[in-house]
């Protein structure tokens, strides 16, 4: 299995991306194709791996920045690592693509270069949020603004396929993110989406309030990409603020420092539970080929786990599953 | 100063509401008017307070439930505590109204019974979110779905007045809740709102990401009510889940229990910082008279603080300030 890894666009530099991939190779059998500036990559990648054809490089000298207008960048920056990597995937030279770069550009690239599954109008950025009871798949978390109820319906179908195949859920439950639990709550989009979701061959369980986002037993939650992004960024911000305050509080006196050492095992468990690095990456669900986004600030552990997730996604053939179901639509 | 207190609609029962008000009386000079079933209230309120005319009661036997359709309930449930209380406020029999009841009904009541300030199209539920650096005023957090850029503009003006008067902020900074910090990010509403806010006599500082919601130095954040509600409910959920996991972790062994006792001062500080009960209540900003909503699960401390906030709101004459500014629009 060949995986193209975009080495550009990371907040932490390409060394971290390469290290994550090499760590992944030590645990799982796959062939990484690093996409980025060759002259720099050959200095980081151990020579014997290149010589023995255990890895290869696609030379790409340009990079798409977060500040670039996504669709324009995909069209114009033909020498960027993202465009060259996606073109290689499109030409069947590999099985999947992983990038830490601009979410907007990756979505535009997945659409303009790779294309969408038949009868899917938009690809959705899909994350798995760790929780107290179990993890929950949430889509869309930032690819599509101003969604329609029809898009929400498609997200629900794709999310169900993903939960079935990759997460081995039997008859996955689907919830609609909303500000109240009763039918009739919310804005025009959620009210209409509720009606449509109720009439599908889906295990629709109604509205899910964000209050229960880390403590629910729903398998899939669907939402407009703007609201999904507001929610995951709030989770990230609040978790990071609380853990920061906690650390600060513990460091504030000798007594609390000693206490901190004693409670450390308990704290570690929470950090582990809420750590996005254990999940690593998120598919652009709806793309014709596996395109994964990893967090811009991913460290090597996050990259390693992200690659594992992408490999499982390819092995489980999620895209074929979605394609079959959408063909019947 | 007379404050009407709706004793119905609380998750915790009317005893808690009355206790909160009596605790507030011990610290601040005001005259509470309890609105609810008289035969039950006389059993809870100390007799000498009624006899000496330190408090009074508006008898109301009906209650508006969270499941009632808001506008319909306000029109039809004429004997409910919320409707009778708001009518009394409307008739200048008191200076302010506080309720833990249905947010939707309270908004409908504020609009249909009390009425809005001239040139304000909608009242907004306005909270003050505690943060690491300082608290931030956020509106709207749930009164108005499907907002327009013009509503967002009005929220910004009202929020600025509120920050100036009640929170003593000089030239308050205003941010727009959005999924990215750069101009041009977000959905149709936030893109258009950004442009409009840039051209106002406001200290507009651009987009604020929810990642920074507990760690920013912006005085006022404006948002569509659906998104604002998603955000505050996510904050609430994540904070409660983490604190729960922490408690569970600390209780898991003798060693962590001892550690927990030692770090307790540090933990208490965080709880205090994030505790909605220290803020207590939220005004329906835009209403012609002071109408405050307190959390449905408020305990007596939250009610006490909620009353203090309402008193300060009346003393600082926020409504007059907004009225003056909007007259010039």
């Amino acid at each position: 299995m060949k995986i193209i890894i975009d080495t550009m666009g990371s907040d932490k530099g390409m060394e971290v991306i390469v290290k994550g991939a090499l760590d992944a190779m030590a645990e799982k059998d796959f062939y990484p194709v690093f996409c980025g500036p060759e002259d720099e990559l050959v200095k980081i990648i151990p020579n014997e791996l290149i010589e023995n054809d255990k890895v290869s490089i696609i030379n790409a000298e340009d990079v798409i920045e977060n500040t670039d207008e996504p669709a324009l960048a995909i069209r114009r920056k033909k020498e960027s690592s993202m465009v060259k990597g996606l073109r290689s995937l499109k030409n069947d030279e590999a099985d999947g693509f992983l990038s830490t770069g601009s979410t907007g550009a990756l979505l535009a690239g997945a659409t303009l270069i790779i294309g969408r599954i038949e009868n899917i109008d938009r690809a959705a950025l899909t994350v798995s949020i760790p929780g107290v009871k179990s993890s929950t798949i949430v889509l869309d978390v930032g690819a599509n603004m101003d969604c329609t109820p029809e898009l929400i319906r498609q997200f629900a179908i794709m999310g169900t396929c993903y939960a079935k195949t990759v997460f081995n859920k039997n008859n996955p439950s689907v919830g609609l993110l909303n500000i109240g639990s009763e039918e009739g709550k919310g804005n025009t989009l959620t009210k209409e989406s509720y009606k449509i979701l109720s009439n599908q061959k889906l295990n629709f369980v109604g509205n899910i309030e964000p209050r229960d986002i880390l403590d629910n037993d729903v398998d899939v939650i669907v939402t407009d990409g703007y609201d999904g992004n507001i929610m995951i960024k709030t989770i990230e911000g609040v978790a990071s603020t609380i853990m920061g305050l906690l650390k600060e509080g513990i460091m504030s006196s000798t007594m609390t420092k000693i206490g901190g050492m004693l409670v450390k095992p308990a704290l570690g468990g929470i950090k582990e539970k809420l750590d996005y690095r254990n999940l690593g990456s998120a598919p652009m669900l709806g793309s014709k080929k596996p395109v994964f986004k990893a967090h811009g600030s991913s460290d090597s552990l996050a990259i390693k786990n992200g690659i594992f997730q992408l490999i499982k996604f390819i092995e489980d053939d999620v895209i074929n599953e979605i394609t079959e179901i959408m063909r019947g639509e």
Side-chain angles (χ1 to χ4, degrees), chain A:
Chain A
M1 187 184 293
K2 275 192 182 176
I3 308 281
I4 304 169
I5 296 156
D6 181 2
T7 63
M8 311 281 274
S10 154
D11 301 349
K12 299 201 169 160
M14 63 177 72
E15 289 81 0
V16 166
I17 308 288
V18 172
K19 182 174 185 313
L22 299 182
D23 289 350
M25 283 175 80
E27 291 180 41
K28 263 202 163 68
D29 189 30
F30 75 103
Y31 183 102
V33 181
F34 294 104
C35 201
E38 189 164 12
D39 53 346
E40 291 180 50
L41 282 170
V42 292
K43 289 180 207 153
I44 307 169
I45 302 166
N47 216 2
E48 74 269 21
L49 291 178
I50 303 174
E51 276 169 5
N52 296 326
D53 193 28
K54 298 289 186 198
V55 308
S56 67
I57 296 172
I58 296 174
N59 182 42
E61 315 254 318
D62 204 1
V63 58
I64 294 180
E65 309 283 355
N66 270 313
T67 46
D68 283 331
E69 202 286 306
L72 213 64
I74 290 294
R75 286 204 184 89
R76 297 208 180 146
K77 288 193 161 180
K78 296 203 188 299
E79 293 305 312
S80 65
S81 56
M82 195 184 278
V83 170
K84 289 191 97 170
L86 286 171
R87 288 218 168 278
S88 175
L89 180 67
K90 158 88 178 170
N91 297 334
D92 291 327
E93 291 157 13
D95 304 288
F97 178 77
L98 177 83
S99 177
T100 57
S102 153
T103 307
L106 195 59
L107 177 79
T111 302
L112 297 170
I113 299 171
I114 306 295
R116 286 185 299 261
I117 294 169
E118 204 184 337
N119 294 325
I120 291 291
D121 295 326
R122 296 282 169 79
L125 188 61
T126 308
V127 294
S128 168
I129 293 181
V132 175
K133 289 172 192 156
S134 67
S135 66
T136 304
I137 294 162
V138 185
L139 69 167
D140 175 29
V141 296
N144 304 288
M145 306 292 106
D146 302 306
C147 285
T148 59
E150 168 58 18
L151 281 183
I152 300 284
R153 187 187 74 90
Q154 294 176 13
F155 296 167
I157 295 170
M158 293 196 290
T160 297
C161 288
Y162 188 41
K164 256 189 211 163
T165 49
V166 176
F167 294 85
N168 303 315
K169 305 268 186 178
N170 183 29
N171 193 25
S173 53
V174 178
L176 174 67
L177 183 72
N178 209 341
I179 60 167
S181 54
E182 303 92 354
E183 183 176 356
K185 289 275 174 181
N187 56 15
T188 308
L189 175 65
T190 58
K191 283 178 194 173
E192 290 182 11
S193 300
Y194 191 103
K195 283 183 210 157
I196 289 177
L197 291 174
S198 303
N199 292 317
Q200 298 291 310
K201 271 181 251 159
L202 289 166
N203 181 11
F204 180 55
V205 295
N207 294 325
I208 304 295
E209 288 191 81
R211 194 178 280 152
D212 304 319
I213 190 62
L214 298 181
D215 199 3
N216 69 71
D217 37 31
V218 178
D219 299 316
V220 179
I221 293 179
V222 289
T223 169
D224 170 84
Y226 179 85
D227 301 312
N229 198 274
I230 290 283
M231 186 180 69
I232 61 163
K233 283 191 176 148
T234 306
I235 296 174
E236 209 180 309
V238 173
S240 136
T241 299
I242 294 181
M243 294 317 267
L245 287 173
L246 203 59
K247 206 174 159 187
E248 202 179 280
I250 285 172
M251 298 310 286
S252 65
S253 77
T254 310
M255 195 180 73
T256 52
K257 272 183 202 167
I258 296 169
M261 284 192 292
L262 296 175
V263 296
K264 213 175 176 184
L267 297 184
I270 299 173
K271 243 187 131 180
E272 176 99 358
K273 249 181 194 145
L274 296 176
D275 195 344
Y276 71 90
R277 297 180 309 165
N278 292 319
L279 296 148
S281 61
M284 291 286 179
L285 224 51
S287 166
K288 254 186 191 162
K289 283 163 180 280
V291 175
F292 268 58
K293 157 80 183 156
H295 206 292
S297 61
S298 295
D299 60 11
S300 58
L301 174 63
I303 295 296
K304 185 184 83 170
N305 286 323
I307 292 169
F308 289 164
Q309 242 189 306
L310 172 50
I311 291 173
K312 183 152 173 44
F313 187 90
I314 297 165
E315 285 173 349
D316 292 340
D317 212 0
V318 185
I319 291 178
N320 190 42
E321 178 93 359
I322 298 175
T323 308
E324 286 298 317
I325 287 181
M326 291 311 291
R327 194 166 283 155
E329 286 281 307

